[in-house]
Every structure is written in C-alpha cells, then in structure tokens.
Amino acid sequence: MADIERHDYDVIVIGAGGAGLRAAIEARSRGLRTAVVCKSLFGKAHTVMAEGGIAASMGNVNSRDNWQVHYRDTMRGGKFLNNWRMAELHAKEAPQRVWELETYGALFDRTPEGKISQRNFGGHEYPRLAHVGDRTGLELIRTLQQKIVSLQQEDHAEHGDYEARLRVYPECTVTELLLDEGRIAGAFAYWRENGRFLRLEAPTVVLATGGIGKSFKVTSNSWEYTGDGHALALRAGANLIDMEFVQFHPTGMVYPPSVKGILVTESVRGDGGVLRDAEGRRFMFDYVPEVFKGSYADSEQEADGWYSDPDNNRRPPELLPRDEVARAINSEVKEGRGSPHGGVYLDVASRLPAEEIARRLPSMHHQFKELADVDITAESMEVGPTCHYVMGGVEVDPDTAASGVAGLFAAGEAAGGMHGSNRLGGNSLGDLLVFGKRAGAGAAEYVAGLGARPEVSQADVEAAEQRALRPFEESGSAAAQHPYALHGELQQVMNELVGIIRRGEEMSSALDELAELKDRAGHMAVFEGNRQFNPAWHLTLDVANMLLVSECVARAALRRTESRGGHTRDDHPGMDATWRRRQLVCEHRDGAVTVTERTHPPMRRDLLELFDITELRKYFTADELGEVTAEL
Amino acid sequence: MTATLSDNDNAVTDLPSDAPPVPEGATMVTVKIERFNPEVDEDLHWESYRVPAMPTDRVLNMLHYIKWYIDGTLTFRRSCAHGVCGSDAMRINGVNRLACKVLMKDMFAKSGETTLTVEPIKGLSVEKDLLVDMEPFFEAYKAIKPYLVTTGNDPSRERTQSVAERERFDDTTKCILCAACTTSCPVYWSEGSYFGPAAIVNAHRFIFDSRDEAAEERLDILNDIDGVWRCRTTFNCTDACPQGIQVTKAIQEVKRALMFRRR
C-alpha cells in the first residue's frame, strides 16, 4: 500500500462553520494543536447563509429582556422537549458570545446610541437578534475566519510557522472516525483535489458538520449538508436523539423552479411583512394554536400596532414559531387558496416604503430581482415551506459537548437537544458560538486528563481506504448504480413520504424504499474519471451517509404517534402530553438502526418556576402537573 | 478527452437517452466549456454540450445538468447557490460572473441558436475544469492583516460605533471573497504578485473602521511595489463584483489615504 499522508493533532474539528471555527479558536487558545477539516474552501460554510441574526438577550433595544425570558421563549418554541440545561446555557451565554464576536471585529447594525442593534423575530418576546442587514451569517463566518488568520499570524511570529498550532484542511472530507478500544484515535479523510488519503491522529474529534437537508428534494441547505457528522457519530457508536424533528422553514422561494427552496429570511416578517392567500387575506389569524392563544394579536389593527407599541399590543401571528407558520401555509395551499406556483404571498411592499425595504432587506431585494425578476418593494413574493434544519443530532453532555464515545464531541446543528422539537429563528447562530466554544473547551479538558494516547490501528486505516475506493471497483459490476440517480431517488422518498406532513403507512413504505436504496447503494459506482477531483466519487460517499441518517429520521418519525414542532402526523394530529417527556434515541448496531425510548429528566426547580402554572398545564400531563404543583 | 482547442471545437455532445424529458418552454442551447483533467490532458480544451435551458434557469443549472446527466466528472465549485458564499465565480461569455446569479434568459442569442462559453477565472492556475488554485488569492488577502487590530484594554462588553462611523466602510464589508474582481484585472493577469482588488477591498474595510488602530500598518503594506499603485483604474473589478461593491472607488480611497496619510 502506498504511504498515506499522516499528521498528528490534539483535536480534529470536522466542519468550518460557526461551531467548528469557534471550537477551533477555543481549542487553540487552550494550547491544543488543532486541525480544522472542511469540505469546502475555508470561509464558504453553510453558516454564511444565515440571514436573520443572533438571538442574545443583551437588552439593547428593550431593556426588559434577560436570559430568563429568552430561556422561556426557547422552551416554548421547542414545545418543552428541549434539553433544558442546553437551553439555559444558551440563553445565559449568548450575549457574552455576541460581545466577544464584536471584540473580534464583527460588524453590526447599531442603535442610535451606537450599541449593537437588535431586531424582532418569530417566537422571541423582545427585539433580540443582533444582526448586520440580512447577512449576519456571512459576517459571523468572516469574523471567525479573520480571528483564525490573526491567530496563525501570531503563531508565525512566535514559531516561524503559520500552522504551528492551527491548520485548516480545506476541500478535504472525513469518511471515517478511527477508534482505539472505543475511544477516539483519529480520522480518515481524503483531499477532494487529488483524491489522496489522510490519516489524522488525535485523541479528540469535534463534529461540527451541520445538518442533513440534502436528503430532501426541496431544501434551503447547501451541498455540504449530507449528514456526515450524524453518520460518523452513529457508526462510531454514539447516539442520535430527536431525529424525527426536521424544521421546514415556512418561507422558501417557490418560483422559478430553478431556485425552489432557497430561503426568504424571517426578518421580512420581523420587519412588518405579512402572509396573504390568493385573495389577499391575512390568514395567519386563523392558525394561532391553543397553546399560544393570548400571546398573539387577534385583529389586524392590534397586530399592526405592535410594531410601534409592543407594550400595549400583542404580536402579529405571522411571527408564530416556524413550525406553526409552515403548517398554516401548507393548509392554505392544500385547500386551494395558494398562489399560482403552489405557495402563498409574502407582502412587504404594501407595508413599508420602498427605500426602507431596500435598506433593511438588501439581500432579499437582490435575490428576488435577480433570480425571480420580482421587485419586492413593489410586489409580493411567492413563498412556501422548505427543508431547513434538523433539530435532532448527536446526544451530548450540555456542559462539555461530549458524546457517549470517549473523545468525541459535537456542536451546532450536528448536536441534538438544544432546540427540542422546533428551533426558533436566531437561536442557531447563538447555538454555534455557545456550544462551539464549550466543545473546544471540553476537548481541551479531555486531552488534559488523558493518560496514554489512543493509537490508530493500521488495519482500520486499510479498511477505511478499501471502503472509500469501493465505488471504483463497482463500475464493472452488472448491479452498478449511478450515484446522481440514487441521490435523486432518496430526495424524492424523503420529501414525499417523510416530509412536512407525515402518515404511518407512508413512512412504512419509505422505510421499505430506503432499504431497497441501501442495497443498491452498496453498488454505487464511479463510471468516469479517476480520483482527481471527481464529484461523482465524492457523492457515492455522501449518499451512504444520507441514507443512514434518513433511516433514523423515518424510524423515529414512525415511532412518535403525535404531532409536535417539526414532526406533524396527519394520522395523529394533536400534541400528546404523554409524549412530551419521551425521547427517541437512534443507535447503530451491527449494521442496523434501532430506536429506543427514554424519559427526559425533570426540569430543575428554579427553571420550572420561570413559567406560569397555567402555561405548563398546556404541555404537561396531569400526573406530571401533580408533581409540579406540589413542588411550586 | 485529449483534443486540443481547435480539434474539438465542433464536436457537440447531445442529450443522452436516459436524460429526463425536456421541459415545456425550454430552449436547446450549446454550452461550451473549457476543460482540463490533469491526469490525462496536456492542455486546456473546449467541449460542447447541448442542453435544455428554461429562461429562469441560471448558468449553474446548466452545469449541474451536464454533470448529472452527461458527464459526471465535470468539476466546479458551488455551495450556497444564490450568491452568498462566493464559490462559483467563472468567466461566462468572457466576463467574470457567479454562475448562480446569471439567468439564462439574459444569455439567449437575439437570433439563431445560443452558445454559452464558460471558462475558469483567469490569473490563477487551473487544477481541473473550472476549478482554480485559490491559494495565491487567499495569501494576498491574509497579507493585508484582515482582522481588527486594537491595543490596550479590551472592552468588557462592546465598543460603541455610531451609525455614521459604521456606514463609512459599509460597501467594502460586503465582499464574499469570490475572486471575480481580482481575476478580472489585467494587471493581476500579467503580474501575479500584485495584491489585487479583493485584498485592497478588505484592507479598506479595516482602514476605515473606526474601531481599528492598524490603518498605518496596512497603508504601509499597500504602499509596496505590488500594492495599490499598480491599479490602472480600468474598472473591470467594479464591473465584475457580484455584490456591487465600488471596488475601484475603494482602491482610489486607499490611494488618497496614502497620499494624504489621513482617513
């Protein structure tokens, strides 16, 4: 066997989005020799697409905001299924992470006093999202990238080597985690450019690989989102939790077909945009669910009054959490009140002066002008739900981001628990920073307490190499499968049978189809070209990950016989309080995915006391409430 | 695959039999791509493909079509697919554009059949097909110290910045590092050591940031022989910028700051 490029680190961070870069900065600052491995060029991660902002209760715009209010909003948004400790840490630490980002040099829109400005967003009680226009994610990535460049220049000044303590491996894909008696020992990867393999040795790995959206046909996610981290964790023996919860963002573009799924930021609604049916009616007033009655306006007059006087008016129902709005749009279209291309209208043109729209929402203005030939300052946008985010992910310890596998950590979208059954807009960027930092710190503590370093076995490296090269051998086989075609079929199955509205029989047939696809995927082949930047080969390895993760989504979704957050069952339409404390855990044993059920630990008393008992009654069972009432 | 530029000019690969049905309203166009596979090719060469185009398709859709249904080895970078990440800059009909932001209806010929040419951006070495080595581009970016430099006590919370101060450098904060500007610059084509417009734009972003204290240092860097004085104000960069940044203006502002050494 040819010699494989080999490197030794203390931590390998997989993924260079917000979570990965923040983890890498933390690990490097704590003295760890750090590698960042990412599939795209450095600075192009999916985080750049986040438009709305970072939710953090700094109280710059409304001084009544604080971490307790943010915590309550997050738990409500997740329908009380969130890991409450993660939601607590996030709410408490997000402001520090935003201020820290500002000291790194991040640009923000400012209040008249020069403080970081904050905007309204769905599910957030006060204006809370720190932002820069509608390109906050891009600024977040750019700032972290700049911070890393500055750290590398410091290292060069000190050691004469830019990469002495932190090296980025761009356009490089990890295909396997390497273990030593159940502990992380390293990772196996290939350079996309030349197809050569890499053996990276390290006692810790931080998974910051983002989500799984490319398993669905209509999605706002970019090509990197193939569930790599989810699949790597599963195969290494870690658990995935909450995989049935997939967020469909209510407002994706629906026309033209070439851009279907691309996101229309929620800020359009936060800044005054409203949803209308084909007749021009604001239909969201019909869709305020029981649990949110009382917090949302019931007339257009009151809703419109809220933008200028939030203390004396309730919020417009267009700003309900995303799952509610997505379902409402779906119902309107199904009942024949949709727009010509199967969406509804998002109208900001009749609500704000043209120049104000162009100033507050410049990217949206350009996006619609250039891609759909629609001037959003003059006409409505056609929008509909698009697969946007997976709430489920690697089960981690909230404080250290450690998974159940020694040395394996996860943060950001790849980790589960923080958002429960539904993520609030703006809570993702905060999640990346808060838990990215914690994962870097967790890895550093683990390395400090490590005795003998785990060792990579040569046999594992050879097995990983064989697995990666198999598609080249399959091209001659009679059963050879085309990866592009197979990927298309997978996306169709997930979109139609495990999509926004789910039914038992459909998910059973999805599982049959996934099993059949899995058999065929074993014969995915590279028909043309060699290992030199060969996108067809790369896709064969990504599709294997997507199939494994899709099976988790389908199995967990079939098991949960209620509707909650990002999981809507047509055959079990109501939220069932007996399901609130039940969590579904996916494991991978002997090549098969199993789902088991577990009970959430009860919320800590001081956190529980932040809620009114009448609100808790909407979510908790009578039995649980008995305990709660006794406690309060 | 190893044909030279002229040999293959007229050979057009048609739709394969298993391609999906051509959608109603689509026009057949010829997409001529400059290709290179370092494993087998000595030189760059053109290959042409006939593909269906809807008026609302973007050039990126054409490339995906070719990759998915005709030649799975066609290589190009793309990520977000709507002009935010800056991965898919290429030369489209001779000008630098992001493939995800060019609509086919704007490419259709006034009369007769449309031929679209797609080449890698110029001035950086081609690794495979439309993919170029971005390393020299990022080296120039790093050289201007693209990060906030301050001294003394870090603020315990945030630095305040007035709306006007923040507005001063807003234009140059929009850069997505796609390299469309730098690789449209005739000076950069002939002198690869020139920092190039993108690096200067990013220097501008910090030089005019009220919170930053290293403007002098950056101005010294750009006063170098390969710095701003190489710019011959051809405005190619401004035309090429998919973000609409006034690139040439930013370069002129840096020149002026150097001449007067004031912000």
Side-chain angles (χ1 to χ4, degrees):
Chain A
M1 182 190 301
D3 275 347
I4 291 183
E5 185 181 341
R6 194 169 158 171
H7 301 279
D8 191 49
Y9 289 98
D10 295 322
V11 58
I12 302 163
V13 178
I14 309 179
L21 296 186
R22 188 62 191 81
I25 290 168
E26 191 65 18
R28 144 72 176 72
S29 318
R30 289 171 184 250
L32 260 52
R33 288 172 304 135
T34 306
V36 178
V37 185
C38 54
K39 293 209 285 190
S40 283
L41 288 172
F42 185 33
K44 308 292 183 196
H46 186 64
T47 307
V48 301
M49 287 157 79
E51 290 159 346
I54 315 171
S57 59
M58 301 183 289
N60 285 359
V61 171
N62 189 325
S63 59
R64 292 191 203 180
D65 204 9
N66 56 43
W67 76 262
Q68 289 92 338
V69 184
H70 190 181
Y71 173 78
R72 278 204 299 261
D73 289 344
T74 301
M75 293 302 291
R76 282 172 189 144
K79 301 272 183 351
F80 283 79
L81 192 123
N82 320 48
N83 178 310
W84 46 262
R85 174 65 178 160
M86 288 175 93
E88 177 196 9
L89 288 171
H90 173 259
K92 281 182 172 164
E93 294 176 7
Q96 294 160 40
R97 297 286 78 76
V98 172
W99 288 319
E100 171 182 80
L101 204 64
E102 199 279 333
T103 66
Y104 288 175
L107 187 74
F108 289 100
D109 285 354
R110 300 283 175 162
T111 64
E113 311 85 75
K115 291 200 279 186
I116 295 170
S117 181
Q118 300 188 266
R119 67 158 44 119
N120 283 307
F121 233 59
H124 293 281
E125 191 168 338
Y126 298 116
R128 187 176 287 149
L129 270 65
H131 61 278
V132 46
D134 47 10
R135 57 190 162 100
T136 314
L138 180 66
E139 182 62 17
L140 187 149
I141 284 296
R142 200 62 77 232
T143 303
L144 296 177
Q145 182 181 6
Q146 289 159 356
K147 180 71 184 172
I148 283 178
V149 169
S150 80
L151 291 173
Q152 288 178 325
Q153 296 191 356
E154 268 176 35
D155 288 346
H156 181 256
E158 195 176 326
H159 304 280
D161 176 5
Y162 289 106
E163 292 168 343
R165 292 196 287 175
L166 200 172
R167 177 170 172 191
V168 180
Y169 291 77
E171 300 193 310
C172 184
T173 306
V174 171
T175 64
E176 213 78 62
L177 298 180
L178 303 168
L179 301 173
D180 178 8
E181 293 182 354
R183 297 187 302 163
I184 288 292
F188 182 84
Y190 67 89
W191 287 110
R192 302 178 77 82
E193 180 195 340
N194 53 29
R196 296 217 180 97
F197 294 126
L198 280 156
R199 166 182 176 157
L200 299 169
E201 301 193 11
T204 62
V205 164
V206 176
L207 296 171
T209 49
I212 66 166
K214 278 293 166 189
S215 309
F216 291 80
K217 192 175 167 200
V218 179
T219 177
S220 63
N221 291 174
S222 67
W223 76 274
E224 294 99 331
Y225 269 35
T226 53
D228 295 4
H230 289 76
L232 289 170
L234 262 187
R235 292 212 307 268
N239 295 338
L240 301 187
I241 53 168
D242 299 342
M243 288 304 290
E244 65 275 36
F245 299 112
V246 177
Q247 181 172 80
F248 288 80
H249 193 291
T251 59
M253 293 176 82
V254 297
Y255 185 83
S258 61
V259 293
K260 191 166 180 165
I262 290 181
L263 200 66
V264 181
T265 176
E266 192 169 324
S267 321
V268 176
R269 283 171 284 138
D271 285 351
V274 296
L275 293 163
R276 300 186 193 277
D277 66 12
E279 255 106 76
R281 209 173 60 89
R282 274 178 79 172
F283 57 82
M284 280 308 298
F285 291 98
D286 305 341
Y287 292 93
V288 181
E290 206 48 50
V291 291
F292 289 116
K293 285 240 160 82
S295 317
Y296 286 82
D298 49 22
S299 73
E300 291 196 25
Q301 193 189 4
E302 181 181 6
D304 288 349
W306 175 83
Y307 295 102
S308 53
D309 183 9
D311 294 341
N312 295 306
N313 294 285
R314 289 170 298 175
R315 334 163 39 80
E318 280 86 1
L319 291 176
L320 277 160
R322 289 175 174 174
D323 53 332
E324 308 291 353
V325 182
R327 271 192 298 271
I329 294 176
N330 205 67
S331 303
E332 285 293 306
V333 173
K334 217 161 100 186
E335 285 163 32
R337 293 190 291 271
S339 68
H341 302 102
V344 296
Y345 292 106
L346 174 57
D347 164 31
V348 68
S350 75
R351 314 262 309 159
L352 289 175
E355 55 281 12
E356 189 67 356
I357 297 171
R359 189 184 68 77
R360 288 202 213 176
L361 303 161
S363 308
M364 284 303 109
H365 187 217
H366 285 136
Q367 181 175 315
F368 273 86
K369 193 78 213 140
E370 284 164 9
L371 304 182
D373 204 17
V374 166
D375 177 1
I376 68 166
T377 66
E379 15 173 357
S380 295
M381 302 163 244
E382 273 189 73
V383 297
T386 176
C387 177
H388 185 57
Y389 189 89
V390 61
M391 271 65 74
V394 181
E395 182 182 37
V396 291
D397 172 65
D399 290 74
T400 62
S403 76
V405 173
L408 183 63
F409 299 77
E413 192 171 351
M418 157 72 203
H419 305 286
S421 69
N422 173 54
R423 174 175 71 80
L424 291 184
N427 270 1
S428 183
L429 295 184
D431 174 8
L432 305 183
L433 296 171
V434 167
F435 294 104
K437 177 182 158 75
R438 285 187 165 270
E445 275 164 38
Y446 176 85
V447 170
L450 196 66
R453 282 168 81 98
E455 281 180 31
V456 168
S457 99
Q458 183 59 29
D460 287 349
V461 173
E462 283 166 26
E465 187 169 0
Q466 272 172 11
R467 179 178 172 271
L469 289 176
R470 189 162 160 198
F472 288 103
E473 289 151 24
E474 287 288 338
S475 59
S477 130
Q481 297 288 322
H482 201 301
Y484 295 109
L486 209 82
H487 183 209
E489 287 181 56
L490 167 66
Q491 291 179 313
Q492 199 75 30
V493 168
M494 291 306 286
N495 223 77
E496 284 175 8
L497 304 178
V498 202
I500 180 166
I501 306 291
R502 300 163 173 174
R503 288 176 198 88
E505 322 85 80
E506 289 184 353
M507 286 186 284
S508 299
S509 63
L511 283 167
D512 293 341
E513 296 204 30
L514 289 174
E516 194 246 12
L517 285 173
K518 203 166 163 183
D519 282 343
R520 286 164 53 201
H523 299 287
M524 272 187 295
V526 179
F527 293 96
E528 304 141 304
N530 216 318
R531 283 164 64 180
Q532 197 93 24
F533 220 120
N534 191 335
W537 176 40
H538 303 165
L539 186 63
T540 61
L541 301 167
D542 293 344
V543 166
N545 290 341
M546 286 187 268
L547 276 167
L548 184 58
V549 173
S550 295
E551 187 182 342
C552 293
V553 175
R555 284 199 188 284
L558 182 60
R559 186 77 171 263
R560 184 175 284 272
T561 50
E562 66 152 353
S563 294
R564 180 185 297 269
H567 172 66
T568 304
R569 292 277 303 248
D570 213 27
D571 47 357
H572 297 278
M575 186 159 68
D576 175 353
T578 63
W579 267 104
R580 191 198 64 80
R581 278 184 76 180
R582 291 149 80 184
Q583 180 162 56
L584 298 176
V585 183
C586 294
E587 290 171 273
H588 189 246
R589 296 274 179 268
D590 308 316
V593 172
T594 59
V595 179
T596 49
E597 208 177 292
R598 182 198 297 159
T599 307
H600 275 285
M603 198 189 295
R604 217 174 56 226
R605 188 193 164 93
D606 59 309
L607 295 175
L608 204 58
E609 285 171 356
L610 296 173
F611 296 93
D612 195 275
I613 187 74
T614 53
E615 177 167 25
L616 295 179
R617 251 185 220 121
K618 297 173 181 174
Y619 297 95
F620 287 58
T621 62
D623 277 358
E624 283 175 278
L625 269 188
E627 293 166 32
V628 171
T629 319
E631 271 188 51
L632 293 181
Chain B
M1 285 298 285
T2 51
T4 59
L5 200 143
S6 54
D7 294 346
N8 219 16
D9 238 8
N10 299 318
V12 178
T13 310
D14 236 319
L15 287 185
S17 52
D18 56 350
V22 173
E24 208 182 314
T27 312
M28 293 304 291
V29 300
T30 300
V31 182
K32 202 172 142 191
I33 304 176
E34 192 172 55
R35 300 200 57 178
F36 175 67
N37 180 349
E39 284 177 327
V40 292
D41 297 335
E42 303 220 331
D43 289 309
L44 310 179
H45 63 279
W46 294 93
E47 292 200 21
S48 296
Y49 310 86
R50 262 171 69 78
V51 294
M54 297 294 286
T56 53
D57 276 338
R58 295 158 297 153
V59 171
L60 182 64
N61 299 104
M62 303 294 100
L63 299 177
H64 274 143
Y65 190 96
I66 294 165
K67 184 166 93 171
W68 291 340
Y69 305 115
I70 305 176
D71 183 346
T73 67
L74 177 65
T75 305
F76 49 91
R77 291 192 176 99
R78 82 280 180 251
S79 186
C80 80
H82 62 286
V84 183
C85 73
S87 297
D88 60 351
M90 45 191 82
R91 265 169 87 82
I92 297 167
N93 283 353
V95 284
N96 282 3
R97 291 285 180 265
L98 296 182
C100 60
K101 286 184 85 174
V102 178
L103 284 175
M104 285 307 293
K105 72 178 169 81
D106 300 327
M107 296 288 111
F108 288 156
K110 296 271 181 295
S111 61
E113 196 178 308
T114 300
T115 299
L116 183 78
T117 64
V118 184
E119 305 157 75
I121 43 179
K122 282 172 76 173
L124 293 165
S125 58
V126 177
E127 288 185 332
K128 184 167 184 268
D129 296 339
L130 300 169
L131 205 104
V132 299
D133 178 12
M134 295 284 284
E135 208 43 43
F137 174 79
F138 286 118
E139 285 307 315
Y141 167 68
K142 289 177 192 171
I144 54 89
K145 299 185 182 283
Y147 43 83
L148 192 73
V149 178
T150 55
T151 49
N153 296 328
D154 272 342
S156 55
R157 283 199 164 181
E158 64 193 278
R159 289 175 195 81
T160 56
Q161 183 168 47
S162 77
V163 174
E165 286 168 338
R166 151 78 176 75
E167 202 54 40
R168 174 64 190 90
F169 62 109
D170 188 64
D171 200 37
T172 47
T173 63
K174 294 174 188 158
C175 175
I176 55 175
L177 297 175
C178 68
C181 60
T182 295
T183 61
S184 73
C185 173
V187 179
Y188 189 76
W189 295 339
S190 54
E191 304 282 344
S193 55
Y194 170 42
F195 277 88
I200 302 172
V201 159
N202 281 280
H204 180 283
R205 180 248 176 271
F206 287 100
I207 290 170
F208 294 93
D209 185 336
S210 60
R211 303 168 300 172
D212 188 80
E213 295 169 11
E216 287 299 315
E217 212 177 320
R218 290 194 191 88
L219 288 171
D220 283 343
I221 294 169
L222 291 175
N223 202 15
D224 182 88
I225 182 152
D226 291 318
V228 287
W229 307 112
R230 289 259 162 142
C231 167
R232 287 197 239 113
T233 24
T234 50
F235 283 91
N236 280 20
C237 50
T238 304
D239 291 340
C241 180
Q243 293 289 85
I245 299 172
Q246 299 295 307
V247 183
T248 314
K249 184 179 167 218
I251 297 174
Q252 293 303 102
E253 286 181 354
V254 173
K255 283 181 186 170
R256 212 171 307 133
L258 264 172
M259 284 191 284
F260 301 107
R261 283 281 173 162
R262 62 173 169 82
R263 293 196 207 178

